Amino acid sequence: MTSRSRVDDMAVVVPGILGSRLADADGHEVWGLSGSALLRGIRTFGRSVKGLALPPDLGDEHPGDGVRPLGPMRDLHGLLGIGTLVDGYDGFLEWLENNFTLRRRGEKDEADPANLIDFAYDWRLSCRYNADRLAERVDEELGRWRASAPERAEARVVFVCHSMGGLVTRQYVERCGGAEVTRRVITLGTPYRGSLDAMLSLVNGVGPAGIGLTAFARGLPSLHQLVPDYAALITAPGEPLRYAREVTGLPGTDAALLKDAARFHEALRESGAGTAYGVEYVPISGVLQPTPTTAEVQGEKLTGLLTIDGADEGGDGRVPRLSSAHVGAARRPAYTPWEKHGSLQNNTALRQALYNWLTPDPPVHRGPEVADIPLVVDAPDAIVEGEVYELRATVPPDIRGHDRVAVFATAEGGPVRTLNNLGGGRYVARLAGLPPGPHRVRVSTGNAGHVVMTALVLVLEDGAGDGE
C-alpha cells in the first residue's frame, strides 16, 4: 500500500449547490436522494418542495423553517434544470483519507480532533449566510485541531471547494475574517464570474412541469448569486452584450436579488484581505467542453450560445472558463483538466495534481504517468428510457494524430465500447438499453483502462417527466 502523504493543516471540503443533504425540523431528510434513488426523488420532490420554498425578501437570513444540513451528498445527484448531474463526495473524501494523513471524525468520537472536515450547508440560502456558518465551523474545528498537539499550534486551513462552495469560501476568506487562518483555497469549477446556466434556469424554468421546481428555484438567493457577473445577454442584433441586472422584463428573475448579487461579487473583487494575509487561490477550470456562455433574449425565453463575441472559450459544460479560470488580482493561471463540471472532484489527473497543494512532502513516484489526449465530449444530460445515448467526442486538430485516436466509452457495469471514427478527429458511440437511473459513462483514450473524463447521464422512465 502506498504510504500516506503528510498534511499538517486542516482540510475542509465544501460542496456545490445541491451538494448537501437537508433535513426538516423533525429530522426527516427532505433533500438527499442520490444514486439509484435519484429517479424516485425527481418524481416525488414536488411533495416536499413547498416546505423548502423561501419567503420573499429573505436577504442573508435563515427563514426559521427548521431546515438544516446533514452532510454532503454521497452519490450522483441533481435536479433537472438546476445545473447538471453532479457526482457525490463520499468517494473523494475516502480518497483523501487513504492518500493523506487526513482523518474525519467518527460518529462516536465527537470530542476527538479531526483534520478533514466536510462542510455541508443549506444551499438554498445566500453565500453570505453560509460563509458565516463556515466561519463558526472553522473556528471550532481549527481550535480543536491546534490544541491537540504542540506541532499543530500553527496549523492553517486548506479548502477544497466544488462549484458554488468556492463562492461561500471566498466570502469567508475575504469578508468574514477567514484570511488570517487560511493557507490555500482550491476551487473546482467555481463560477467566480457566474454561470449562464443559472440565468437559463431562472428565466426558462426548471424541471418537469407541474411539480413546482421553477417557483422554488426562482426564490433562491443562492441561484441569483450564480447569475453571470459579466455582460452575457444579447438583446438586439448588433447591440453590445448587457448584464442581466440591466435587462428588464425577463420573467423569473428578482430584480432586487440580481442587484444584491452584483453587490456580492463587487465586494469580493474589491476585498484585499486574502492578498494581505498571503492566501493562495488555486482555481481548477474544466476546459474544452461545450459550455453556454452568452444568451440571446427571444421574447420571454433565453437561447444559450456557446460563444462570446464570436469566440468559443469553452469550459466544463456548466461554468465557462472565463468565469472559473482566474480569481483575484493575482490572475494565477488555472489548472485545466479535460473534465465535465459534475465530475471534477473525481477526475484522476486532478487528484494527482492535488498532491502539489495539500502536502509539504516532496514529490514521490506514484507510478508511470499516462499522457492524456484532450477530448471535447458532447452528450445529453438526460434521456428517456428506450432512447439511444449518443456520445460524441472530438480531438482538437492541433493534436498530432487527432484523426487516428482510439477512444473508448463504458457505462458502469457495461461493456467497453470503441467509438466509431467519423474522420477529422470526430468520434461517436451510441449506447442502447441503459436502464432508468443515473449513470457514469467513463471516456478513455489509447488505453481503455485509463479514464480521461466522465460524462453523467440520467435515464428517465418513460412518462417520468409528466407532472403529478
Side-chain angles (χ1 to χ4, degrees):
M1 179 178 177
T2 304
S3 62
R4 297 195 299 166
S5 295
R6 178 173 58 98
V7 177
D8 301 320
D9 290 323
M10 187 176 77
V12 180
V13 175
V14 187
I17 193 171
L18 302 175
S20 301
R21 294 176 288 122
L22 303 178
D24 62 17
D26 297 323
H28 300 130
E29 196 169 273
V30 291
W31 170 248
L33 290 174
S34 61
S36 61
L38 176 59
L39 195 60
R40 182 174 74 251
I42 289 176
R43 293 196 303 270
T44 62
F45 186 63
R47 299 171 189 169
S48 59
V49 71
K50 291 182 180 179
L52 288 174
L54 299 176
D57 304 321
L58 181 64
D60 297 321
E61 302 300 322
H62 192 282
D65 56 5
V67 173
R68 58 184 176 84
L70 293 176
M73 295 294 284
R74 300 185 178 99
D75 205 344
L76 287 175
H77 58 279
L79 285 176
L80 287 181
I82 302 183
T84 57
L85 281 180
V86 176
D87 216 334
Y89 300 96
D90 264 14
F92 181 60
L93 289 163
E94 290 173 5
W95 178 82
L96 289 171
E97 282 189 302
N98 290 336
N99 289 275
F100 301 90
T101 57
L102 292 168
R103 177 183 177 274
R104 282 181 285 179
R105 182 178 298 108
E107 294 181 359
K108 298 181 179 180
D109 55 0
E110 293 185 3
D112 290 348
N115 67 332
L116 178 58
I117 309 298
D118 53 71
F119 175 70
Y121 59 93
D122 189 338
W123 43 263
R124 304 173 303 161
L125 309 179
S126 80
C127 292
R128 297 189 192 96
Y129 173 87
N130 284 311
D132 288 339
R133 306 290 78 73
L134 178 58
E136 295 170 353
R137 182 75 182 278
V138 170
D139 285 349
E140 175 188 356
E141 299 287 1
L142 185 60
R144 186 181 297 178
W145 178 248
R146 285 177 165 178
S148 64
E151 65 270 18
R152 299 169 183 167
E154 300 299 322
R156 297 171 74 183
V157 185
V158 176
F159 291 95
V160 184
C161 317
H162 187 221
S163 196
M164 190 178 76
L167 293 180
V168 173
T169 301
R170 191 181 181 200
Q171 172 72 16
Y172 160 71
V173 170
E174 301 292 345
R175 306 286 295 176
C176 301
E180 188 173 355
V181 298
T182 300
R183 186 180 307 281
R184 188 171 293 117
V185 180
I186 305 164
T187 57
L188 286 58
T190 288
Y192 288 114
R193 298 179 63 190
S195 169
L196 189 74
D197 260 12
M199 195 69 197
L200 294 174
S201 298
L202 289 171
V203 175
N204 294 348
V206 299
I211 68 171
L213 281 181
T214 294
F216 166 70
R218 287 173 172 174
L220 301 182
S222 56
L223 193 58
H224 282 78
Q225 288 173 339
L226 295 178
V227 165
D229 188 49
Y230 61 92
L233 299 185
I234 302 170
T235 55
E239 292 294 321
L241 292 167
R242 299 179 65 187
Y243 286 83
R245 59 182 179 269
E246 299 174 338
V247 180
T248 59
L250 288 176
T253 59
D254 185 308
L257 286 178
L258 286 179
K259 291 180 180 178
D260 180 70
R263 291 192 292 269
F264 166 73
H265 286 282
E266 182 180 16
L268 289 179
R269 286 195 303 272
E270 293 181 349
S271 172
T275 301
Y277 283 96
V279 176
E280 181 184 18
Y281 284 94
V282 182
I284 312 296
S285 181
V287 295
L288 293 182
Q289 310 314 309
T291 306
T293 305
T294 60
E296 185 175 357
V297 180
Q298 297 182 330
E300 294 189 343
K301 295 288 185 180
L302 294 178
T303 299
L305 304 173
L306 302 181
T307 59
I308 182 166
D309 291 330
D312 185 351
E313 298 193 1
D316 61 20
R318 181 180 180 188
V319 179
R321 184 178 182 181
L322 65 87
S323 179
S324 63
H326 299 284
V327 57
R331 306 282 297 179
R332 170 183 175 148
Y335 178 77
T336 53
W338 304 294
E339 185 59 271
K340 296 283 191 181
H341 183 83
S343 302
L344 281 165
Q345 69 272 33
N346 294 325
N347 179 268
T348 302
L350 186 147
R351 287 188 176 186
Q352 292 303 309
L354 282 174
Y355 285 97
N356 298 323
W357 306 310
L358 287 178
T359 178
D361 288 349
V364 298
H365 180 65
R366 306 186 190 283
E369 292 188 3
V370 180
D372 288 342
I373 296 175
L375 289 176
V376 181
V377 172
D378 190 9
D381 296 322
I383 61 173
V384 175
E385 181 183 10
E387 288 184 348
V388 173
Y389 176 74
E390 184 173 282
L391 183 147
R392 292 181 174 270
T394 304
V395 179
D398 58 342
I399 300 300
R400 184 176 180 180
H402 71 285
D403 55 348
R404 300 184 303 278
V405 175
V407 185
F408 306 92
T410 179
E412 285 179 304
V416 176
R417 295 283 304 276
T418 303
L419 273 66
N420 185 30
N421 189 337
L422 302 179
R426 298 175 298 118
Y427 305 82
V428 65
R430 297 177 177 89
L431 281 63
L434 291 178
H439 299 270
R440 298 176 183 89
V441 181
R442 307 192 190 280
V443 187
S444 55
T445 59
N447 178 348
H450 175 64
V451 176
V452 176
M453 62 182 299
T454 303
L456 307 177
V457 59
L458 180 67
V459 180
L460 298 164
E461 293 176 337
D462 193 12
D466 298 335
E468 296 185 17

